[in-house]
Amino acid sequence: MKKAPLATLLAALLIAALPAFAAKHPAAKKPAVPTKSSADIIKDSPDGDWRELDPDNTILMEFAQGQVLIELAPRFAPKHAANIREMAHTGFYDGLAVVRVQDNFVAQWGDPDGDDPAKARSLGKAEAHLPAEFSIPLKGLPLKKLPDVDGWAPVTGFVDGFPVAANPKTGQAWLAHCYGMVGAGRGNEADSSTGGELYAVIGQAPRGLDLNITVVGRVLSGIELLSSLPRGGPNMGFYDQAEQRTAIKRVRLLADMPEAERPHLQVLRTDSKTWPQLLDARRNRTGWFVYNPKHIDVCSATVPTRPGK
Amino acid sequence: MKKAPLATLLAALLIAALPAFAAKHPAAKKPAVPTKSSADIIKDSPDGDWRELDPDNTILMEFAQGQVLIELAPRFAPKHAANIREMAHTGFYDGLAVVRVQDNFVAQWGDPDGDDPAKARSLGKAEAHLPAEFSIPLKGLPLKKLPDVDGWAPVTGFVDGFPVAANPKTGQAWLAHCYGMVGAGRGNEADSSTGGELYAVIGQAPRGLDLNITVVGRVLSGIELLSSLPRGGPNMGFYDQAEQRTAIKRVRLLADMPEAERPHLQVLRTDSKTWPQLLDARRNRTGWFVYNPKHIDVCSATVPTRPGK
């Protein structure tokens, strides 16, 4: 079994962010509600509150610098997920590159020659035209709602580990553009994305993109590889020179990988009892904090992962 | 006069973020309100809507990799601003380092030996003990309020180019922890910051820190240098090894620099007519956007800068 150090880091981030600047004096002095720390909540969580990765919906991007693990969201973008699955299966992404890194916005990867029909890589059996998958019906969605006010949508919450926003008036629900979310780049036409060009959010949640582009999943581990890449130029962060790009060695669907090579990571279930406890711990800050915000937003809480067994 | 390429980039970012993914087909097809783009609003803005840098409240951090320009906020943190000014004046920061980079959170710099009284660098004439400067009275503050709902505070807006949150019930106003804001690291005691250890926000706005720590200013240019540094380890992003740190060559107050060496940058006045126009353009998305969010939050709009004359 392969150990996933990035995953450990991600889990640690959620814990570590709490006593944010108390490095010099880590002992918390003021007990308050909730008395249990995020670290302890995670430590004490029953194994049943965690789920394994779904090999059919998880892709591994390999770079010389490390790995990025992405969970697809077929419930929200079934056709894009199917396309990405097919493209990973046929090696479409292998040898492509991160072509754009715009500070406080996105890192984007795909075919640098995608705009040139003569040079563009073939999509193979993947669909060249997909419908926009910007939202799905709210009705029947197992949405764990947050009580906290959000400026961008009437309702927010979590489904299957993904941050979700919704509007009961229109009956729509959609994946929210939080840090680490992955979307499918498109041109001016709403239905012009294929999944061949993807981006990950690496800055303040660009919620203005919600309902404007198809969100296909989220980074489970390795986002720090993408977020720390050198920024591109003033043309929306696209690199001016080919040599500035970061090459993608290959992208594989976990289901296509030998069992022994798959990363083993578990994801906290957002329909578990542990998740609302974690949200409460994050909503009510204690210890180092002198002011308790009693608030979180859907993009300020990341669903934790832990090394699998 | 020295040209400031980073500043140009920052200004470009605000413009470029609008047609976010339309690189392949940059022509916008659907005219809508507002018809004027952010780029055009900035281009058409009168010179009087821009202000020069205040040499007494702007510091330049120099790295081998580039420069980071920070504007202090003496209205909100007068004693911290005075301390930082004094420390920059005496070269306190010269040769120190970025000691911590935690993904989706902060980059932090200061004295790596600050915890060791035997090795810690002397603060010189700067104050070793400052009061917490977490908020100031809302009364009398020239706050340009946003009409948009914010989950973290009853009121948000801008003062002197800084994102501000406020609570009319408590009469408090404070700087909001948006991307690029700079704060003074502290230990467990609220009044334990000196300004000798500073951090910049490099991820989703950690608004839970608001009212919990003294915010001293914001990065005007060069944030991408800090945000793209390699991330530190699981201990809150602190680097495990000294050689992982990024050395600070020197930090100078602009007032202490020869005129010819000072960066020349102009900042859009948030009490100008241009600023609410830009906010409106960002609030009402057109062209590439098929859904108009009709919303912004105080951390999704960055006050632009442009090269000075």
Side-chain angles (χ1 to χ4, degrees), chain A residues 21 27 103 186 188 212 227 291, chain B residues 21 27 103 186 188 212 227:
Chain A
F21 295 92
D103 194 62
R186 68 166 174 91
N188 265 359
N212 280 298
S227 61
Y291 171 76
Chain B
F21 296 92
D103 194 61
R186 67 165 173 92
N188 265 0
N212 280 300
S227 62

Side-chain angles (χ1 to χ4, degrees), chain B residues 2 20 25 70 78 107 114 132 151 171-172 176 224 226-227 230 288:
Chain B
K2 189 169 178 181
H25 313 282
I70 294 170
Q172 293 171 296
E224 65 278 15
L226 297 172
S227 62
W288 179 90

Side-chain angles (χ1 to χ4, degrees), chain A residues 190-225:
Chain A
D191 59 356
S192 58
S193 58
T194 63
E197 191 161 357
L198 298 169
Y199 63 90
V201 172
I202 58 161
Q204 174 71 14
R207 297 281 303 278
L209 293 179
D210 288 5
L211 290 172
N212 280 298
I213 196 160
T214 299
V215 181
V216 302
R218 74 174 179 110
V219 175
L220 289 177
S221 68
I223 183 66
E224 66 277 15
L225 189 157

Side-chain angles (χ1 to χ4, degrees), chain A:
Chain A
M1 200 207 82
K2 191 168 177 181
K3 206 171 169 197
L6 296 177
T8 315
L9 177 61
L10 257 192
L13 282 179
L14 190 132
I15 302 161
L18 293 180
F21 295 92
K24 292 178 183 177
H25 314 285
K29 283 180 185 173
K30 298 177 192 168
V33 284
T35 47
K36 218 169 168 182
S37 72
S38 292
D40 283 339
I41 292 167
I42 288 178
K43 188 162 62 68
D44 296 344
S45 63
D47 282 350
D49 282 6
W50 299 78
R51 59 178 168 86
E52 302 296 328
L53 299 177
D54 177 355
D56 287 318
N57 283 307
T58 312
I59 59 172
L60 183 68
M61 296 178 71
E62 294 174 59
F63 295 90
Q65 298 87 340
Q67 301 180 335
V68 179
L69 192 67
I70 294 171
E71 182 171 41
L72 300 175
R75 188 198 285 270
F76 289 86
K79 292 181 192 299
H80 280 76
N83 239 29
I84 293 166
R85 221 180 269 125
E86 171 65 21
M87 286 188 276
H89 183 63
T90 57
F92 170 83
Y93 303 100
D94 301 356
L96 298 184
V98 179
V99 293
R100 171 195 193 190
V101 182
Q102 184 171 343
D103 194 62
N104 192 20
F105 195 34
V106 296
Q108 189 167 329
W109 58 95
D111 183 357
D113 295 319
D115 288 343
D116 183 344
K119 291 187 187 173
R121 184 171 294 199
S122 164
L123 297 177
K125 288 181 187 169
E127 299 288 341
H129 294 285
L130 294 181
E133 297 182 298
F134 298 172
S135 68
I136 61 171
L138 171 58
K139 197 177 175 182
L141 193 66
L143 176 63
K144 297 290 172 185
K145 293 183 191 174
L146 288 179
D148 313 83
V149 169
D150 181 78
W152 296 92
V155 171
T156 58
F158 292 87
V159 176
D160 306 336
F162 291 99
V164 170
N167 186 344
K169 281 189 186 168
T170 64
Q172 293 171 297
W174 60 92
L175 292 173
H177 271 86
C178 300
Y179 194 91
M181 293 299 284
V182 176
R186 68 166 174 91
N188 265 359
E189 301 307 319
D191 59 356
S192 58
S193 58
T194 63
E197 191 161 357
L198 298 169
Y199 63 90
V201 172
I202 58 161
Q204 174 71 14
R207 297 281 303 278
L209 293 179
D210 288 5
L211 290 172
N212 280 298
I213 196 160
T214 299
V215 181
V216 302
R218 74 174 179 110
V219 175
L220 289 177
S221 68
I223 183 66
E224 66 277 15
L225 189 157
L226 297 171
S227 61
S228 62
L229 289 175
R231 275 48 180 160
N235 175 25
M236 302 196 301
F238 283 94
Y239 293 118
D240 302 322
Q241 311 293 331
E243 56 270 27
Q244 295 174 290
R245 297 175 188 143
T246 301
I248 298 170
K249 287 167 67 177
R250 60 178 170 176
V251 173
R252 287 183 289 175
L253 188 69
L254 263 53
D256 291 335
M257 294 171 64
E259 174 81 32
E261 289 180 28
R262 295 181 195 170
H264 285 265
L265 202 65
Q266 294 182 331
V267 183
L268 186 71
R269 301 176 67 107
T270 44
D271 58 357
S272 68
K273 286 186 179 170
T274 298
W275 179 236
Q277 285 174 34
L278 277 174
L279 292 176
D280 257 347
R282 211 163 161 83
R283 194 179 278 118
N284 296 288
R285 299 299 191 106
T286 60
W288 180 89
F289 290 80
V290 294
Y291 171 76
N292 181 355
K294 295 178 188 166
H295 179 79
I296 52 170
D297 73 53
V298 70
C299 287
S300 65
T302 302
V303 178
T305 58
R306 69 178 189 185
K309 288 172 185 181

Side-chain angles (χ1 to χ4, degrees), chain B residues 224-295:
Chain B
E224 65 278 15
L225 188 157
L226 297 172
S227 62
S228 62
L229 289 176
R231 275 46 180 162
N235 175 27
M236 302 196 302
F238 283 95
Y239 293 118
D240 301 323
Q241 311 293 330
E243 55 270 26
Q244 294 174 289
R245 298 175 188 143
T246 301
I248 298 169
K249 287 165 67 177
R250 60 179 171 177
V251 174
R252 286 183 290 176
L253 188 68
L254 262 55
D256 290 335
M257 295 172 63
E259 175 80 34
E261 290 180 28
R262 296 181 194 170
H264 285 264
L265 202 66
Q266 293 182 331
V267 183
L268 186 71
R269 300 176 67 109
T270 44
D271 58 357
S272 69
K273 286 186 180 171
T274 297
W275 179 236
Q277 286 174 36
L278 277 175
L279 292 177
D280 258 349
R282 208 160 165 85
R283 192 179 280 118
N284 297 288
R285 300 299 193 106
T286 61
W288 179 90
F289 291 80
V290 294
Y291 170 77
N292 181 355
K294 296 178 187 164
H295 179 80

